[in-house]
Structures are given as structure tokens and as C-alpha cells.
């Protein structure tokens, strides 16, 4: 695999040095338009520029396939965990593509990667776009990737059309959107958004193998200066807009045959850890009136979660007990300990918080009624939802219309780096359909036609925002 990768790099370098204009264009006939339209601002002739946009779908598909080979499990599955060798190689692949697109590259202490195309007024806050390339074990090759490789291709597409940005355009690769290794989701974007408790916690965070975050980051070439994770946070106003392109990870767009989803809000996730303790005992010897069964307390709480979520009366409220562990876990032993992890989300923060409060009350009441101890009720995270910015929604809608692509406004029920970027920048998201809504498994698939449409909408949106 490393041979394949270095061949690829050499080939690209050869193309780059032997013919600078071909570096971004291959043998694309659009090459000529680059000179013809250079310095031609897109807002002065929108329809012309939009119709001259051409996504290099073949290269983009090749890049998606190539990136998928940096995996710790066999194809078609992809496993790419933060700071592993495969993650480092994948990052190198992305930086190389950014370089070939003429972007200037910067990396921060946790490995968020920024590639900037400087605008004609570089002192103005830039327009950013991007996503993640880490992949949970045995997942697919499109989640996040479409928003990173697609963003670089959107830049290439704009460059080929002769577009020149006023505000700088920046592609961001976010570190560790998935919580796989250190249990923290959206690690990179959380830090960028200025979560100081996280910057502090990372200094003592270890993974499942007791490898510290700092050592792992160093092994990937990051965290070299005094473990200063506070330095990652962005100043408010660093960006005037952030737009993320992503597969829907749900079935709606495909089912309705709509190529573009425009996200108006991202649901607010919260997660809670709960533990009950009872006296346990022999499953035969301890009679029913004398028991305090920690397992039954957990079962009752799981049902209470469902009840409280349904009581909200909104289809947007959801709650899940995805982890329920019993100790000692023997058929002839009354559970003496139980451990639950609860995930609850809503697009309405207050409604979501009411559900959390009801779950807390139920946990106490159940413990009391059953004579068990509620030894832990820990809200691990309780993030606020994010609303897309009105002017970015308008830009995404206008872009879809100019490209003759129908669109649908929708809510993102999964969360993304955009949830955190919304704290420091006006935010918007573009969804594209994916096969049966599958994600986080090898069957995850989006057609290159649908990806290319998303890239076009992203390119036109970035162009509009850059000139605004
Ligand atoms: C984890 O590593 C630290 C530091 O190397 C060590 O002190 C600690 O005992 C280890 N913990 C476990 C559970 O292995
Ligand atoms: C691509 O999008 C179209 C809607 O424009 C949809 O009909 C088709 O099923 C999508 N393909 C995939 C693989 O999702
Ligand atoms: C969109 O459709 C209109 C009318 O059919 C056409 O004139 C225009 O060229 C199309 N634009 C694009 C980008 O395909
Ligand atoms: Zn993702």
C-alpha cells in the first residue's frame, strides 16, 4: 500500500512540475477558460460562471477510492482511527492534494488541517468548508470524506472556471469527529470552538490501551509545543461563514429523489451515564421480597427514557439506551451493579433539557422504590443545538436553483463538526443522498453523480459567500 501511495505522489508531482496548468486540470478542455476568465468575478456574470463549472468526477472518485485504502480493515470496510499510521498516511494524502490545488497549509496542535486559497482581500474573515476523514471500525468510505475531498474539488472547480475569491476560501480537515479512540466526538472542532475544559482534560486523557492523548498526538507529529491545546481555539470572527458538505446518513433525499438537502438545524445531543448498586446475591437463595436488583432498576430506567421522550409530543425528540451492562453478569447471580449510557437529542434545547431532568427524577425515584443506590448520574455532554445562518441558507438555495438542482430543507439529526463551528461562525450544511441512508457500515455509498452535484452546490455557495 505504501508503494501505491508513493507512486501516486510521484505521479502527481511529475504532472505538477512538468505542466503547471495541467496540475489542476488534467486534460480537461476547461483549461483554456482559466486564462480567459481570470480576474472575472463570478457575481458579475453568474449564469455564465455557473454553467462553466465542471467537476472532475473521475479524479474525485479515484481520490475517494485511494483514501479508502488507508484502512486497518479489509475493503470494502474502512477503519481509520485517530493518530494511527493509516490516519497519518491519509492526512499526508489530503495535504498533498491541498498542495496540488495551490492551497497554503497550516496545522494546529491536535492536527486540524487548514488549506487556504487567499482572496483578493485577505484581511476579511475567510469562508471555510470541510469535514473529517476518521472512520469508526468497519465503516464506509464516504462519511466525512465527501466533505473534505469534495471541498478540495470545489476549490479546483472554481479555479478552473477562472473564479477569483474576494474573501479567502479555506478547506478544513477536522481531527477526530468520531469518538472511537478517546471517547470524545468532534474533538478538533470542539477545541476550535473554544471548549476550555476539553483543552485541559486532554492533558490527562488516555485511550483504551492507556496511551495518553499527548503521546498519541506526538506520534502523529502533533502536540509538540508544551501540550498547548488552548492554542487551538479560534478567535470569534475568524471566519465569516462555514459550510460543510456531507452525505445525509438518512433515507429521505434518496426516497424522495431530491439531490440536495439544505440543513436548517442540527439536533442537540446529550449523553448520560448512570449506575445503580444493590446487594446482589444468589439467584435461588434470595427470595423476591428481600431483593434490591440493580438490573431491574436499569431496565425500568430504560423504559422511563422511552416514556419521557414520547411525552415531549415532538417527533424531533429521541432517546436511546445503547449500553446496558450488568455485574457480575452470571445467570445465577442477582445483578449487584448496573451501568447505562443514555443518548438523547432534540432540535429544541429546552425540550431536550426537560427530558434530561425527567430522566434524572426517574433514576432517583426508581432507586428509592427498589432500595438500590444511584451511585452515578453523570451528564457527559449536553451540547446546544445549532441553527444554520439565514444568509448561508439563502446562498445554498440560490446555488441549487442556478444549477437546476431541486433541494429540500431538512434537519440534521446526526451531529457534525458544523455543530461546533456554529459557535464561532455563521454555519450551513449541504446534504447529498446516500444509498438507503446507510452509514457507519461498509455498505455506505453515494453515487459520484450525487457527490458531484453536492460539490457544485458547495462551489457556487462558496463563491457567493466569498464575494459577499
Ligand atoms: C496507565 O499508565 C500510567 C502512566 O504510565 C500508569 O501510572 C497507570 O498505572 C496505568 N494504568 C493502568 C490501568 O494500566
Ligand atoms: C442520487 O440522487 C438521485 C436523486 O437526484 C436519486 O434518485 C438516486 O437514488 C441517488 N443515488 C444514490 C445512490 O443515492
Ligand atoms: C438551467 O435550466 C435553464 C432552463 O432550462 C437553462 O437555461 C440553464 O442553462 C440551466 N442551467 C444549468 C447550470 O444547467
Ligand atoms: Zn461524518
Amino acid at each position: 500500500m505504501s508503494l501505491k501511495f508513493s507512486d501516486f505522489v510521484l505521479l502527481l508531482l511529475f504532472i505538477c512540475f512538468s505542466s503547471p496548468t495541467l496540475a489542476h486540470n488534467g486534460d480537461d478542455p476547461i483549461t483554456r477558460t482559466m486564462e480567459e476568465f481570470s480576474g472575472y468575478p463570478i457575481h458579475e456574470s453568474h449564469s455564465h460562471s455557473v454553467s462553466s463549472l465542471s467537476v472532475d468526477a473521475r479524479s474525485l472518485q479515484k481520490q475517494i477510492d485511494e483514501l479508502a485504502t488507508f484502512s486497518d480493515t479489509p475493503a470494502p470496510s474502512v477503519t481509520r482511527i485517530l493518530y494511527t499510521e493509516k490516519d497519518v498516511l491519509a492526512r499526508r494524502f489530503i495535504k498533498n492534494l491541498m498542495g496540488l490545488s495551490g492551497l497554503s497549509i497550516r496545522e494546529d496542535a491536535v492536527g486540524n488541517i487548514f488549506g487556504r486559497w487567499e482572496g483578493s482581500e485577505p484581511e476579511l474573515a475567510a469562508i471555510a468548508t470541510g469535514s473529517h476523514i476518521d472512520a469508526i471500525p468497519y465503516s464506509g468510505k464516504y462519511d466525512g470524506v465527501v466533505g473534505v475531498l469534495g471541498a478540495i474539488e470545489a476549490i479546483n472547480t472554481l479555479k478552473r472556471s477562472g473564479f477569483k475569491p474576494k474573501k479567502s476560501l479555506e478547506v478544513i480537515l477536522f481531527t477526530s469527529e468520531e469518538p472511537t479512540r478517546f471517547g470524545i466526538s468532534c474533538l478538533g472542532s470542539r477545541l476550535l470552538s473554544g471548549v476550555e475544559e476539553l483543552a485541559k482534560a486532554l492533558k490527562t486523557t488516555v485511550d483504551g490501551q492507556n496511551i495518553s492523548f499527548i503521546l498519541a498526538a506526538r506520534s502523529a507529529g502533533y502536540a509538540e509545543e508544551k501540550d498547548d491545546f488552548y492554542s487551538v481555539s479560534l478567535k470569534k470572527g475568524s471566519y465569516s461563514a462555514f459550510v460543510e458538505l456531507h452525505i445525509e446518513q438518512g433515507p429521505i433525499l434518496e426516497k424522495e429523489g431530491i439531490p440536495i438537502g439544505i440543513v436548517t438545524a442540527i439536533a442537540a445531543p446529550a449523553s448520560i451515564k448512570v449506575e445503580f448498586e444493590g446487594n446482589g446475591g444468589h439467584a435461588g437463595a434470595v427470595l423476591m421480597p428481600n431483593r434490591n436488583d440493580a438490573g431491574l432498576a436499569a431496565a425500568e430506567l430504560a423504559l422511563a427514557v422511552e416514556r419521557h421522550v414520547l411525552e415531549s409530543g415532538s417527533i424531533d425528540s429521541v432517546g436511546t439506551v445503547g449500553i446496558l451492562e450488568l455485574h457480575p453478569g452470571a445467570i445465577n447471580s442477582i445483578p449487584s451493579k448496573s451501568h447505562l449510557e443514555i443518548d438523547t437529542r432534540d432540535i429544541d434545547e429546552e425540550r431536550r433539557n426537560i427530558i434530561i431532568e425527567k430522566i434524572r427524577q426517574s433514576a432517583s425515584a426508581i432507586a428509592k422504590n427498589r432500595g438500590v443506590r444511584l451511585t452515578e448520574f453523570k451528564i457527559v455532554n449536553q451540547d446546544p443545538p445549532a441553527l444554520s445562518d439565514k444568509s448561508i441558507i439563502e446562498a445554498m438555495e440560490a446555488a441549487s436553483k442556478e444549477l437546476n438542482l431541486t433541494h429540500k430543507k431538512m434537519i440534521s439529526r446526526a451531529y457534525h463538526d458544523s455543530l461546533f463551528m456554529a459557535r464561532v461562525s455563521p454555519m450551513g450544511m449541504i446534504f447529498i443522498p446516500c444509498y438507503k441512508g446507510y452509514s457507519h457500515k461498509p455498505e455506505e455509498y453515494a453515487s459520484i453523480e450525487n457527490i458531484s452535484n453536492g460539490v457544485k452546490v458547495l462551489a457556487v455557495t462558496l463563491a457567493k459567500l466569498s464575494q459577499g
Side-chain angles (χ1 to χ4, degrees), residues 176-298:
S176 192
E177 194 263 355
E178 308 289 1
T180 318
R181 184 162 184 185
F182 291 98
I184 303 155
S185 61
C186 298
L187 193 151
S189 51
R190 258 179 222 271
L191 281 177
L192 287 170
S193 78
V195 181
E196 294 208 340
E197 313 87 80
L198 177 58
K200 187 166 169 229
L202 282 180
K203 296 186 180 186
T204 53
T205 298
V206 296
D207 69 6
Q209 263 77 53
N210 199 24
I211 298 170
S212 74
F213 179 83
I214 290 175
L215 274 183
R218 285 198 182 139
S219 75
Y222 302 111
E224 268 151 2
E225 281 166 40
K226 297 180 283 143
D227 324 327
D228 183 14
F229 302 126
Y230 295 96
S231 67
V232 172
S233 84
L234 291 169
K235 283 195 199 72
K236 233 181 167 146
S238 297
Y239 296 112
S240 55
F242 175 77
V243 187
E244 180 172 5
L245 173 66
H246 207 282
I247 58 169
E248 182 197 341
Q249 301 179 292
I252 298 170
L253 292 174
E254 186 189 50
K255 209 179 283 170
E256 299 184 9
I258 297 172
I260 297 295
I262 289 178
V263 173
T264 55
I266 304 175
S271 57
I272 310 167
K273 281 186 183 169
V274 184
E275 281 183 12
F276 292 110
E277 271 185 41
N279 296 335
H282 193 285
V286 184
L287 298 180
M288 299 310 276
N290 303 328
R291 294 184 180 198
N292 57 357
D293 185 328
L296 291 178

Side-chain angles (χ1 to χ4, degrees), residues 131-175:
S131 194
H132 63 100
I133 61 162
D134 62 324
I136 68 166
Y138 297 95
S139 58
K141 59 182 180 183
Y142 299 93
D143 175 9
V145 166
V146 158
V148 176
L149 292 175
I152 296 171
E153 180 52 26
I155 299 282
N156 291 342
T157 300
L158 288 173
K159 287 198 167 189
R160 280 194 298 266
S161 79
F163 173 74
K164 293 277 191 274
K166 184 168 114 189
K167 293 175 183 156
S168 301
L169 295 180
E170 197 161 297
V171 178
I172 308 179
L173 179 157
F174 294 103
T175 282

